[in-house]
Amino acid sequence: MSSRSDTRAEAFRLLPSIEELLHDPRLEPLGRGLAREVWLDFLRELIERWRAEVKAGTLDASALSARLAGTALVDELRLRVERERRAGIVRVVNATGVVLHTGLGRAPVHAEAAAAMGRIAGSYCVLEVDRESGERNQRDDRLSELLRRMTGAEAGIVVNNCAAAAYLLLNTFLKRGQRDEVIVSRGELVEIGGSFRVPDVMERAGVVLREVGTTNRTRLSDYRNAAGERTALLMKVHTSNFRVEGFTEEVTPTELAVLGREIGLPTAFDLGSGLIEGDDVRPLPEVMGDEPRVRDAVASGVDVVCFSGDKLFGGPQSGLIVGKRAAIAALRKNPVYRALRLDKVTIAGLERSLELYLAGRGDEIPARAMLRATADELRPRAEKLAAALGKLPGCRAEVIPERSQPGSGAAPGVFLPTFVVRLTHARLKAAAFAAALRRSEPPAFVRVQDDALLCDPRSLLPGDDELLVESVRSVCAS
Ligand SMILES: *Cc1c(COP(=O)(O)O)cnc(C)c1O
């Protein structure tokens, strides 16, 4: 026992101090170019990690001496510095085939929208001032106008995301102490992506949830019977990420709107993904199944409709709300709006995206173009990719038929036929290969299935095919 604690004490003594590491000539080139605070952090982390090993008895004095004398010290710190260089938001190649991939930033905006966002970020802009009169105005006056034209609604207002939109409208229609109940179908109390649960958002917004109907069937009479003195709002939520099949019944937005008018209560419809189709916008074909359309939701007569800007709409992250003029005005008057409103950069991207739709160029929006691509169109891209990837050392590539997913809770149960490159490596197992691609330059994300990588051209942007080959090349060369 005593000899063990002796060597432990010896190991503790051997642990270098920050000061010693700072003056170690072997480490000096690694720390160069890093902010001093960052470098100190890394050194502290390393010493703490080793100290914990000594404490746990997994690192004794002789092993520690070996680490200090050998390359372990330099190697560990080099890995840490490299990890730091890869950290943060960087551009990646998305070869997963998931078009609206929340982990990879959902919809990539149209190049013209991206350019507008870049320009506005680095300059002053006309945000809350009227160019004609020089008077103050609202930052989203023009957005409201564009949304009105595109959706047929009377007005619109825009916030940070659809979760914020739902929060704002619940919070606005609530009359604290008088009318604080919101009636929702039990079948529509959905959870989207783990952090957005309809019941939780309602509670936080200060409203009391009144569930009606059952998981599979809700009738108009259920809403009617539940509505009373305390009811603030009748709400419908699109079950974006799942589908109930079989013996089901739900109330249409039109029926809900009629009931709302009859009993004098406001009505809202949280659409989630927001499929835009209309006179100038070709429908996304059967691909989208029975995903509700924004125009239909507005035409149903509900007071407000909300949807995400970065799902099927294909714009920057935002929550778009359209509906009756009075209802939108009430949302804008709510002081909470101030905390949820958009910044100039996102407004610029949204305006440009809406203008593209209105100019009949909606098909150019990247997310929509990707969702529309047919297997026949994707096959030559997969073949070209396979030819390039198959030439790389250790790689085997073949083209196989597969199915891609829209992603982000849009159109559940919808799978889009595609062709993918099935890629394997002579030495690397699929999981290690995928991890190396994520860390490579440029970084690439692929699907791993049955011990192979699947590279789906559906979610590749123009130019990404070459970047993907570059990424695989860099992994194979190392
Ligand atoms: C996705 C979704 C949301 C959340 O949208 P975000 O823009 O991600 O905040 C809310 N409601 C429904 C029905 C959705 O599908």
Side-chain angles (χ1 to χ4, degrees), residues 181-246:
E181 280 183 9
V182 173
I183 302 181
V184 191
S185 159
R186 205 162 256 131
E188 298 175 0
L189 293 173
V190 297
E191 167 173 318
I192 288 141
S195 56
F196 181 89
R197 284 183 152 178
V198 171
D200 296 348
V201 173
M202 291 187 171
E203 192 189 307
R204 284 300 168 127
V207 303
V208 176
L209 176 64
R210 185 74 193 272
E211 303 170 38
V212 296
T214 59
T215 332
N216 57 333
R217 305 197 81 175
T218 302
R219 300 182 185 82
L220 197 60
S221 57
D222 294 324
Y223 290 88
R224 190 192 294 277
N225 294 340
E229 300 279 284
R230 304 200 65 89
T231 311
L233 178 71
L234 306 178
M235 185 159 180
K236 236 187 117 51
V237 181
H238 175 52
T239 54
S240 300
N241 49 8
F242 74 101
R243 184 162 293 167
V244 183
E245 287 186 26

Side-chain angles (χ1 to χ4, degrees), residues 303-345:
D303 293 297
V304 285
V305 171
C306 65
F307 56 98
S308 288
D310 55 350
K311 292 187 185 171
L312 293 178
F313 178 78
Q317 183 197 302
S318 50
L320 293 78
I321 313 174
V322 293
K324 302 277 163 60
R325 196 171 293 108
I328 300 296
L331 298 176
R332 185 166 280 116
K333 271 222 291 282
N334 186 341
V336 167
Y337 167 61
R338 175 66 197 249
L340 306 174
R341 69 183 189 178
L342 289 183
D343 70 309
K344 60 177 184 171
V345 175

Side-chain angles (χ1 to χ4, degrees), residues 96-400:
T96 63
V98 181
V99 174
L100 299 168
H101 193 303
T102 300
L104 301 183
R106 287 208 190 146
V109 300
H110 189 278
E112 289 177 24
M117 293 173 85
R119 270 196 308 275
I120 292 302
S123 70
Y124 293 104
C125 64
V126 180
L127 185 62
E128 290 190 350
V129 58
D130 183 88
R131 279 170 80 186
E132 310 303 326
S133 64
E135 305 279 313
R136 260 316 257 277
N137 66 2
Q138 294 284 342
R139 59 178 55 204
D140 57 358
D141 278 351
R142 171 137 175 92
L143 267 182
S144 173
E145 189 65 19
L146 294 170
L147 281 168
R148 188 179 65 71
R149 287 183 200 144
M150 198 189 64
T151 66
E154 291 175 6
I157 183 169
V158 189
V159 290
N160 242 313
N161 49 30
C162 192
Y167 180 87
L168 179 64
L169 61 92
L170 288 166
N171 183 275
T172 303
F173 291 116
L174 156 85
K175 307 243 174 340
R176 233 173 262 278
Q178 303 165 38
R179 292 184 171 273
D180 51 11
E181 280 183 9
V182 173
I183 302 181
V184 191
S185 159
R186 205 162 256 131
E188 298 175 0
L189 293 173
V190 297
E191 167 173 318
I192 288 141
S195 56
F196 181 89
R197 284 183 152 178
V198 171
D200 296 348
V201 173
M202 291 187 171
E203 192 189 307
R204 284 300 168 127
V207 303
V208 176
L209 176 64
R210 185 74 193 272
E211 303 170 38
V212 296
T214 59
T215 332
N216 57 333
R217 305 197 81 175
T218 302
R219 300 182 185 82
L220 197 60
S221 57
D222 294 324
Y223 290 88
R224 190 192 294 277
N225 294 340
E229 300 279 284
R230 304 200 65 89
T231 311
L233 178 71
L234 306 178
M235 185 159 180
K236 236 187 117 51
V237 181
H238 175 52
T239 54
S240 300
N241 49 8
F242 74 101
R243 184 162 293 167
V244 183
E245 287 186 26
F247 188 59
T248 62
E249 181 170 348
E250 66 172 304
V251 170
T252 66
T254 308
E255 290 169 329
L256 198 67
V258 169
L259 176 65
R261 275 196 297 276
E262 184 194 317
I263 59 181
L265 286 172
T267 48
F269 189 3
D270 176 4
L271 269 185
S273 60
L275 179 56
I276 302 294
E277 285 175 10
D279 305 337
D280 300 327
V281 189
R282 270 203 301 160
L284 280 177
E286 26 341 311
V287 221
M288 279 359 286
D290 40 19
E291 197 59 27
R293 286 139 183 84
V294 174
R295 267 181 182 270
D296 296 342
V298 169
S300 75
V302 292
D303 293 297
V304 285
V305 171
C306 65
F307 56 98
S308 288
D310 55 350
K311 292 187 185 171
L312 293 178
F313 178 78
Q317 183 197 302
S318 50
L320 293 78
I321 313 174
V322 293
K324 302 277 163 60
R325 196 171 293 108
I328 300 296
L331 298 176
R332 185 166 280 116
K333 271 222 291 282
N334 186 341
V336 167
Y337 167 61
R338 175 66 197 249
L340 306 174
R341 69 183 189 178
L342 289 183
D343 70 309
K344 60 177 184 171
V345 175
T346 309
I347 292 177
L350 269 181
E351 284 188 356
R352 199 65 210 112
S353 303
L354 281 161
E355 284 162 358
L356 287 166
Y357 273 110
L358 286 166
R361 295 172 62 196
D363 284 354
E364 289 179 32
I365 303 263
R368 293 175 64 92
M370 288 172 176
L371 290 168
R372 188 189 290 284
T374 64
D376 280 347
E377 287 160 0
L378 294 167
R379 187 175 200 155
R381 277 180 84 183
E383 281 166 354
K384 196 157 169 245
L385 258 178
L389 293 172
K391 285 200 202 93
L392 299 174
C395 288
R396 230 183 79 87
E398 57 175 333
V399 173
I400 58 167

